[in-house]
Amino acid sequence: MEFSGEINFLVRWLHVISGVMWIGLLWYFNFVQIPTMPKVPDELKPAVGKYIAPEALFWFRWGAMATLITGLVLALGQGYLHEAMTFAPGYAGIGFGMYFGIIMWANVWFIIWPKQKIALGIVDADASLKPAAARTAMLFSRTNTMLSIPMLYCMVSQQNP
């Protein structure tokens, strides 16, 4: 199944915009918010935890979802989804990029977000669980930051052999 040029352009544009949202927030969390939080005065930390972080995490996780969906639709619409997912000759680069993205998406939805809900008190949990939840979310977020580098390389290099 292949889509028209206009549809492919629209899906690619949505994929790029979604990816910028997702990876931009990922890098914001890891290069700005996490390192800065120890310097924030205690009386101001609730503003970050109760207002800024939950809102940023909303856009972060839905940016991840939109990026994944539009990426898969784009690959399907351009006729290379199967080739990329099976690392067919000429498609290994985009295939690796797609698998990195899928792993990162799974980390967001199944590890980072559930742990952040505990750490930020969005769900009821024993207070003793919050530090471990925050650490796990941070470690998987840093893992995603490191995975984002080869993922982006694979995505760009596929079009620039």
Side-chain angles (χ1 to χ4, degrees):
M1 166 195 299
E2 293 193 29
F3 300 148
S4 70
E6 293 83 11
I7 298 297
N8 274 326
F9 177 81
L10 176 63
V11 174
R12 181 181 304 279
W13 181 246
L14 293 172
H15 182 61
V16 169
I17 292 296
S18 302
V20 168
M21 173 70 72
W22 179 18
I23 302 306
L25 283 166
L26 175 68
W27 287 14
Y28 159 77
F29 286 131
N30 284 280
F31 295 119
V32 178
Q33 186 171 308
I34 292 170
T36 304
M37 282 305 289
K39 302 172 200 166
V40 174
D42 288 340
E43 67 273 8
L44 299 178
K45 286 182 182 179
V48 175
K50 294 288 181 194
Y51 298 100
I52 295 170
E55 188 72 15
L57 285 164
F58 171 87
W59 290 103
F60 173 67
R61 69 183 184 277
W62 287 106
M65 182 68 76
T67 304
L68 177 74
I69 291 170
T70 57
L72 292 172
V73 169
L74 181 63
L76 178 68
Q78 291 195 333
Y80 65 82
L81 180 61
H82 181 269
E83 289 83 354
M85 300 304 287
T86 59
F87 303 113
Y91 294 91
I94 196 74
F96 277 110
M98 290 169 71
Y99 278 107
F100 285 138
I102 291 166
I103 292 165
M104 292 168 60
W105 170 86
N107 283 345
V108 167
W109 278 91
F110 301 118
I111 299 170
I112 296 169
W113 175 234
K115 295 298 182 183
Q116 282 290 16
K117 288 192 291 187
I118 294 168
L120 294 171
I122 295 170
V123 297
D124 287 333
D126 189 87
S128 65
L129 299 176
K130 290 182 179 188
R135 178 157 175 74
T136 300
M138 185 259 314
L139 290 174
F140 276 83
S141 185
R142 287 193 176 159
T143 299
N144 273 9
T145 300
M146 293 300 102
L147 288 175
S148 73
I149 296 166
M151 183 269 304
L152 289 168
Y153 177 82
C154 290
M155 296 293 179
V156 172
S157 68
Q158 183 70 27
Q159 294 189 28
N160 299 290

